[in-house]
């Protein structure tokens, strides 16, 4: 009930056998050691269990610079679908900039706003927007289940988003 489908497109949800999907996840500071070791984080792991062919990139929160932005925009250029999982992009300019550039250069972006819904207010050009209202494992799994059509989110936003 905490997962909110803010906006949906005709390409949502994804089928579990969809191909050519890239996932960009901004890591939480709590899992930075896992990121440095090259492991998947909770959201990306859940994505890969639904569809192992998804290519996941974890972006470390401390290392976003212009080269990182260019690199990840390039990773998404030929994808059919891009899933972007943000964590407080409304408070981190480089995270927002990378996300905005991907949204601007791609036709099918699913934005998963992890933690809180405020990223949906500043990144509202994404084709589909899901908010988790939390960053716990069940919240992440619920967002991924919604992305792959296991259920349709029924939650409602508990805050007003800036427009």
């Amino acid at each position: 009930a905490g997962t909110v489908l803010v906006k949906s497109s005709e390409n949502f949800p994804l089928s579990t056998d969809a191909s050519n999907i890239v996932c960009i996840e901004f890591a939480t500071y709590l899992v930075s050691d896992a990121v440095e070791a090259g492991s998947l984080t909770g959201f990306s792991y859940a994505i890969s269990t639904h569809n192992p062919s998804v290519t996941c990139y974890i972006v470390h929160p401390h290392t976003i610079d212009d080269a990182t932005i260019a690199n990840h925009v390039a990773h998404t250029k030929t994808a059919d679908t891009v899933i972007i999982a943000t964590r407080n992009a409304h408070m981190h300019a480089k995270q927002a900039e990378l996300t905005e550039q991907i949204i601007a250069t791609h036709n099918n972006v699913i934005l998963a706003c992890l933690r809180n819904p405020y990223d949906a207010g500043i990144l509202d050009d994404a084709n589909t927007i899901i908010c988790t209202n939390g960053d716990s494992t069940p919240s992440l799994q619920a967002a991924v289940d919604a992305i792959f059509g296991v259920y349709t989110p029924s939650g409602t936003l508990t805050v007003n988003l800036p427009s």
Side-chain angles (χ1 to χ4, degrees), residues 24 68-78 98 101-102 105:
I24 305 284
T68 302
I69 291 171
N71 187 34
H72 287 295
V73 169
H75 288 311
T76 63
K77 287 273 187 197
T78 61
L98 172 51
Q101 285 193 28
I102 291 171
T105 59

Side-chain angles (χ1 to χ4, degrees), residues 1-130:
T3 305
V4 179
L5 183 59
V6 176
K7 179 180 177 183
S8 168
S9 73
E10 68 278 354
N11 297 321
F12 181 84
L14 300 177
S15 69
T16 54
D17 62 351
S19 60
N20 202 14
I21 301 170
V22 172
C23 176
I24 305 284
E25 179 183 0
F26 293 95
T28 175
Y29 293 100
L30 301 175
V31 296
S32 61
D33 291 340
V35 172
E36 289 168 8
S39 300
L40 293 179
T41 62
F43 184 82
S44 292
Y45 178 78
I47 289 278
S48 68
T49 60
H50 272 280
N51 186 331
S53 71
V54 175
T55 302
C56 295
Y57 297 97
I58 312 301
V59 180
H60 193 289
H62 300 293
T63 61
I64 302 171
D65 57 17
D66 291 341
T68 302
I69 291 171
N71 187 34
H72 287 295
V73 169
H75 288 311
T76 63
K77 287 273 187 197
T78 61
D80 292 334
T81 303
V82 179
I83 302 167
I84 305 173
T86 61
R87 286 185 169 90
N88 299 328
H90 65 285
M91 295 173 21
H92 302 286
K94 287 294 186 183
Q95 185 178 153
E97 181 182 346
L98 172 51
T99 303
E100 287 168 346
Q101 285 193 28
I102 291 171
I103 291 170
T105 59
H106 208 281
N107 325 351
N108 191 26
V109 176
I110 298 171
L111 176 66
C113 304
L114 309 181
R115 287 214 176 121
N116 66 58
Y118 297 111
D119 293 352
I122 66 162
L123 301 166
D124 61 348
D125 286 335
N127 306 92
T128 299
I129 302 174
I130 295 175

Side-chain angles (χ1 to χ4, degrees), residues 128-152:
T128 299
I129 302 174
I130 295 175
C131 297
T132 62
N133 291 310
D135 201 12
S136 65
T137 299
S139 294
L140 301 179
Q141 186 64 55
V144 171
D145 287 348
I147 289 169
F148 286 102
V150 174
Y151 78 105
T152 301

